[in-house]
């Protein structure tokens, strides 16, 4: 059994159960639909949490780098606001 699951020793658990996939989806949502800098910050924090769970995941690292490379968020003007 240990031979089949050798990577389990490298995983770090959170104090409370957290599903890394839902945290990743949270990051994707707030990155893709960011209305201001706080949304981008939330996306960055979510991606950082997922990288902490799986440091070898290059896809999440790319998404984190994408959020980190946004220079400066500019607030949308009244004509740019999104409506439901």
């Amino acid at each position: 059994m240990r031979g089949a699951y050798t990577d389990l020793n490298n995983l770090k658990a959170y104090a409370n159960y957290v599903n890394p996939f839902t945290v990743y989806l949270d990051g994707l949502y707030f990155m893709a639909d960011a209305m201001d800098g706080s949304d981008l910050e939330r996306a960055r924090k979510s991606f950082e949490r997922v990288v902490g769970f799986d440091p070898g995941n290059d896809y999440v690292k790319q998404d984190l780098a994408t959020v980190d490379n946004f220079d400066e968020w500019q607030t949308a003007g009244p004509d740019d606001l999104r409506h439901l």
Side-chain angles (χ1 to χ4, degrees):
M1 184 91 154
R2 289 186 188 267
Y5 298 103
T6 57
D7 291 339
L8 289 179
N9 295 331
N10 298 330
L11 295 178
K12 299 174 187 170
Y14 290 108
N16 298 320
Y17 176 76
V18 175
N19 184 337
F21 181 68
T22 59
V23 176
Y24 179 68
L25 288 179
D26 182 74
L28 285 178
Y29 174 79
F30 281 96
M31 179 177 69
D33 199 35
M35 294 296 286
D36 57 23
S38 66
D39 288 344
L40 292 175
E41 179 65 15
R42 179 168 175 170
R44 188 178 67 75
K45 291 289 187 186
S46 292
F47 292 143
E48 284 178 345
R49 289 182 71 191
V50 177
V51 168
F53 184 78
D54 185 10
N57 189 320
D58 291 332
Y59 297 106
V60 180
K61 288 180 184 178
Q62 288 174 352
D63 291 332
L64 179 58
T66 299
V67 171
D68 284 340
N69 286 331
F70 283 117
D71 291 335
E72 183 177 317
W73 183 261
Q74 295 183 4
T75 306
D79 296 331
D80 300 327
L81 295 177
R82 301 173 192 169
H83 299 282
L84 295 176

